[in-house]
Amino acid sequence: MKKPPQDLSQLLHQQGQMPNLAEKAELLLHLNHYVKQVLAGPVSQQLKVANLRQGVLVIETTTAAWAARINFQKAKILQQLQAETLPMLSAIEVKVNPSLVLYETKPKIPQHHISETAATHIEALAEHTEGSLAEKLKRLAALASRSRQS
């Protein structure tokens, strides 16, 4: 007989490297949140705490321009982290990672909205068109009234 699947929380807290990895991941998440609070403004959206190894905090950013801005504030970040969170922190390293842009979450704008003006123009065009194109234009114009109702 097959073994039933184990709960993920049980696997994370068993022997081996998993508990260490889970603890480090939580620490990096906390540090990421903390650094973004320290660097308020648009720069906070362009960075990510990537690693903490041998007392060096690694911060990734999308471009060299943002890296320069973070480097100017590196002493402030280091001082605050040493005082409040990580006294063993010795340095901060800033790296450029252009692929970080891919992981940003941007709000999706609905693309199926048609204004009333556009619907009126499409209906007028449909009146002067024949065949399947006229039907499709009428359905497209009807989207405007449906989007207003919802």
Side-chain angles (χ1 to χ4, degrees):
M1 252 187 134
K2 293 182 180 180
K3 290 173 131 181
Q6 291 184 4
D7 187 31
L8 185 59
S9 61
Q10 290 176 347
L11 287 174
L12 289 177
H13 299 295
Q14 287 180 347
Q15 298 287 339
Q17 290 186 346
M18 287 299 277
N20 296 338
L21 289 174
E23 186 177 317
K24 186 170 183 178
E26 287 177 17
L27 175 65
L28 290 176
L29 237 121
H30 172 72
L31 288 173
N32 189 50
H33 180 69
Y34 185 81
V35 169
K36 286 184 178 194
Q37 280 183 331
V38 171
L39 296 173
V43 71
S44 69
Q45 297 172 0
Q46 301 296 323
L47 65 87
K48 175 183 145 191
V49 172
N51 203 356
L52 175 65
R53 60 175 179 257
Q54 299 171 352
V56 177
L57 184 68
V58 179
I59 297 176
E60 290 182 340
T61 186
T62 54
T63 64
W66 288 115
R69 286 185 73 175
I70 295 168
N71 278 324
F72 284 127
Q73 298 182 9
K74 204 164 33 171
K76 172 186 164 187
I77 300 167
L78 182 63
Q79 184 181 16
Q80 283 189 336
L81 282 171
Q82 285 174 335
E84 297 177 20
T85 309
L86 289 171
M88 51 71 138
L89 192 64
S90 61
I92 295 177
E93 184 179 335
V94 181
K95 291 187 174 189
V96 177
N97 182 1
S99 63
L100 197 60
V101 174
L102 298 175
Y103 302 114
E104 290 182 15
T105 56
K106 295 180 182 175
K108 295 192 177 190
I109 301 168
Q111 299 294 325
H112 52 81
H113 176 72
I114 297 175
S115 68
E116 290 183 45
T117 308
T120 307
H121 291 296
I122 292 171
E123 284 176 5
L125 180 63
E127 289 176 13
H128 300 322
T129 310
E130 297 177 359
S132 66
L133 180 59
E135 293 173 24
K136 291 177 183 176
L137 288 171
K138 287 177 185 175
R139 281 188 289 166
L140 183 61
L143 282 176
S145 63
R146 274 192 249 150
S147 64
R148 276 179 266 145
Q149 291 172 357
S150 56

